[in-house]
Structure formats: structure tokens, C-alpha cells
Amino acid sequence: MNTQRTQLSNFASIHRMRALARAGTALALAVLASALVWLVWPETGPYVQFPLPLQQLFGDGAAAAQVVALVQALIGAAAASAGFGILTGRPAAAQPLAIVSLVCGALLAIGFVGFSGIAVAGYLMAAALPILALVVGLMVAKRPQTRVLVVVAFAALIVIALLSPIPFAEFYERLGANFATDHFRTSATVLFIGAAGVWLLSGMGVVAREPGRLGAFALRRRRALTIAAAACALPYVIARATWLTPWPLFGGDQIEKVGPEVLATGLLLGGAMLVGAVLTLGLIMTWGSRFPKWVPRIGSKPVPVALAVVPASIVAALFTAGGIETLITLFAGIGVAPVSQWILVIALPFWLWGPLLGLATWGYAQARALEPDAPVNSRGGVVAAA
């Protein structure tokens, strides 16, 4: 029985690796195609007005933007070649091709995403908080009458927010205006985040097929790693909570200098960070392995491993890349006063959160693969295996 389950798990793992390779290849082609467009028409790309981390090596301007677009094209071409090779090549070639995928993902994450990717993801998450609250409320409410009450309560909260002295509406107005004028940069950042995360996950799926000592450590200490990763959100969440007191920390002086809209932005971003910490804890909570009973239709069913592992891996890559940029800026002394940069590194410890989240996700995937009586689908794949 154990041998059969191991074979089924391996079959499912190979199937998922091919699915990741297909997704990574599609994203690589998108990265390559956009780079070619921006190489010919750099003024249409995200590089000229909003320099990326890699442009610190080449400077600003149209010429530097073309160089960065060329580097992007080369990374996209290499990742696409690796993806096609994994899909069509021999198993013996999977290992070196996976290394190419890993290198491409790391270069894209560090050179093209950096800390700005975290900012984009944070603002998008903050903007989605009301919708997320409404969806959860509707799922919890099983009866139609209760769902009507949830909608009414949600509408009342929206009205209260609009009439509140904290101008939450201005956050959404400014976010919409910024996206309208900066949609190229935002869309490119989202593309880079997705591509880098999928490439790294696809490569790691092949390279780390045998967990080794590090994988065994991630499995053995996954609870401590997950709690430590979630705790990385606390400095920022606590700092933003102090903005509601007479002793605001971490940029609270900007409320008086700029206006109350800074308070709304800070509180929403703090809420987004808190949600991120809760989702991180899902890697060790029961609802991270099985949907809660109150979720319609799928309640009590196993959570597909990919539903947790793929986004968590992408976020881990994003946080690690952004954290590396903050550390480079700190020790290189570029642009920001040392004291301010130290505060940023401590209040936003993405340099620690990213690696911890990556290890915790790895431990989660291994733990799910060891679950007994995992259901098998019609193609022989273990649904809950990693």
C-alpha cells in the first residue's frame, strides 16, 4: 500500500511539475514579448519614468531603459527555453534546465521586482480588504436572511467609512488615479512577480525533489518557522496601530505634514499586513489543510496543495527580493539616511519573512504529502500530495 501511494504521489508530483512548467513557459513568453516591445519603443515601457532596481547599474534615461529591456528579453528567452526543454526534453536534462529556471527567477525578482513589488502587492491587498471581508461574511452566513444582514452591515460600514474623519475614500481615489497613469508599471510588476515566483517554484520542484537536510529541517520545524514568519508582520502592524494613539510610530509625523489621508493609507496597509500574517499561519492551521465547514460546497474537503503552495512561494520570492534590496540599500548607503534605513529594515523585515515563509511552505508541502488516506483523483494523482 505504501509503495502504491508513493508511486501515485510521484505521478501527481510529475503532473504538477509539468503544469508549473507550462505556466512558467507562458509567463516567460509574456516577459519576452513585452521586453521586445519596450526595446523598440522604450517610452511605452515602465523603465523611463520609474527606474527598476537593475537600473541602478545603468542609470536613467532612454538608453538605460533599452539596456534593461534587452536584459529582460534575454531572461525571458532563457526561461522560455528552459520551460520548453523541461516539457519536451529527457528526464536527465530536467536538473540543469531547472537550475536555469531558478537563475532566471532570481534575476527577475531581484533586478526587476525588488521592494517596489512589495509596495504594489501591499496596495492591491489593502484595496481588496473590504471585498475580502464581504466574501468571508457571505460564506459564513448560511441562511439567505443572514446574508442580507451581512450585506446591510457591509453597506453601513462603507457609509461610516465615508463619513469618518479618516478619509478612506481618498485612498481608493488616489489608488485608481495612480493606476490610470501608471498602469504600465503596475501591470509589468504583477507580471514580473508572477513569472519570478513560478520559475523559482518550478525550478525548486525539480532541484529539491529529494528534500535533504534542509528539507528535513523545514518539515521538522515547520510550526516554529511558520510562527516566526507570521511574527515578522508584527513590527509594522503595531507601528500602524500606534497611529490611532497620540504616540504614532514609523512615519506618524507625516499625518500632520501631509494630511489625514496618510492615516487612512497606513491603517489599510497595516490591515493588509495583518491579513498576510494570518494567511501565513494557515500553513499550520487546520483550515490550511481542509476548508472550514462553513465554506459552501467545499467545506471540510482537503485544500488543494497548489492553492496554498503556489501563492505562498510567490510571496516568499517577492519578500526575499524586496528584503535583499533593502539590505543592499542599507549597506551601500544609497539615497536614504542610515538611521531611516535601519528603521525600515527593522519595521519591514522582509529579508527574514521571505526565507522563513519559503521554508515554512516547503515544510507544509512535505507534511501534506505525508497525510494518510489522501484522496486519489481519476488520473491517479494524490489530491493532497505535494
Side-chain angles (χ1 to χ4, degrees):
M1 182 63 180
N2 290 335
T3 302
Q4 182 184 11
R5 289 187 57 79
T6 301
Q7 291 174 346
L8 292 175
S9 180
N10 290 338
F11 178 89
S13 178
I14 293 172
H15 178 74
R16 277 189 293 276
M17 287 301 102
R18 291 184 65 83
L20 278 174
R22 286 193 292 268
T25 303
L27 289 169
L29 292 175
V31 170
L32 174 59
S34 60
L36 294 177
V37 173
W38 296 333
L39 185 61
V40 179
W41 298 287
E43 66 278 1
T44 65
Y47 307 136
V48 177
Q49 294 180 340
F50 306 96
L52 300 176
L54 184 63
Q55 286 179 260
Q56 294 183 10
L57 300 177
F58 305 110
D60 301 331
Q66 286 184 311
V67 174
V68 175
L70 177 60
V71 174
Q72 178 188 330
L74 293 174
I75 293 175
S81 300
F84 281 122
I86 292 175
L87 291 172
T88 62
R90 297 179 179 178
Q95 191 85 0
L97 291 173
I99 294 175
V100 172
S101 182
L102 283 172
V103 172
C104 290
L107 290 175
L108 195 69
I110 298 173
F112 289 80
V113 178
F115 194 82
S116 63
I118 297 178
V120 170
Y123 275 90
L124 293 177
M125 185 66 177
L129 286 179
I131 303 299
L132 180 63
L134 176 61
V135 170
V136 172
L138 291 175
M139 287 193 299
V140 173
K142 296 183 179 181
R143 297 181 179 180
Q145 299 89 336
T146 310
R147 292 181 178 178
V148 171
L149 292 177
V150 169
V151 174
V152 172
F154 179 77
L157 289 175
I158 294 296
V159 172
I160 294 173
L162 292 175
L163 299 178
S164 169
I166 303 175
F168 290 105
E170 291 188 15
F171 168 81
Y172 291 95
E173 292 176 3
R174 187 170 66 254
L175 186 66
N178 290 341
F179 180 77
T181 58
D182 190 17
H183 54 277
F184 279 121
R185 175 63 183 272
T186 304
S187 301
T189 301
V190 172
L191 172 63
F192 295 155
I193 291 172
V198 171
W199 296 348
L200 289 169
L201 182 58
S202 178
M204 282 297 296
V206 176
V207 173
R209 187 167 294 175
E210 295 296 332
R213 291 185 178 180
L214 185 59
F217 170 79
L219 176 61
R220 186 173 62 253
R221 303 296 184 186
R222 74 184 192 93
R223 181 172 295 274
L225 290 169
T226 303
I227 294 173
C232 290
L234 290 179
Y236 187 83
V237 171
I238 293 173
R240 288 296 180 254
T242 63
W243 285 18
L244 297 173
T245 73
W247 308 280
L249 301 174
F250 191 51
D253 57 324
Q254 295 299 312
I255 299 174
E256 295 183 0
K257 294 180 181 179
V258 180
E261 63 272 12
V262 175
L263 175 59
T265 301
L267 292 178
L268 286 171
L269 290 176
M273 186 75 82
L274 182 60
V275 170
V278 173
L279 292 176
T280 299
L281 290 174
L283 295 174
I284 57 173
M285 304 295 288
T286 302
W287 53 266
S289 299
R290 288 188 176 274
F291 290 107
K293 293 181 179 180
W294 45 261
V295 178
R297 297 185 180 182
I298 57 175
S300 299
K301 292 184 178 180
V303 175
V305 174
L307 186 62
V309 170
V310 173
S313 300
I314 292 175
V315 171
L318 171 65
F319 284 3
T320 302
I324 290 174
E325 183 181 351
T326 59
L327 292 179
I328 291 175
T329 304
L330 172 66
F331 293 112
I334 300 175
V336 182
V339 174
S340 301
Q341 193 63 29
W342 274 109
I343 294 175
L344 177 65
V345 168
I346 295 173
L348 298 171
F350 294 112
W351 50 271
L352 179 61
W353 194 349
L356 286 176
L357 179 58
L359 288 173
T361 304
W362 194 4
Y364 169 89
Q366 294 181 80
R368 292 295 304 276
L370 296 175
E371 286 182 350
D373 300 323
V376 178
N377 61 30
S378 58
R379 290 179 293 184
V382 179
V383 176

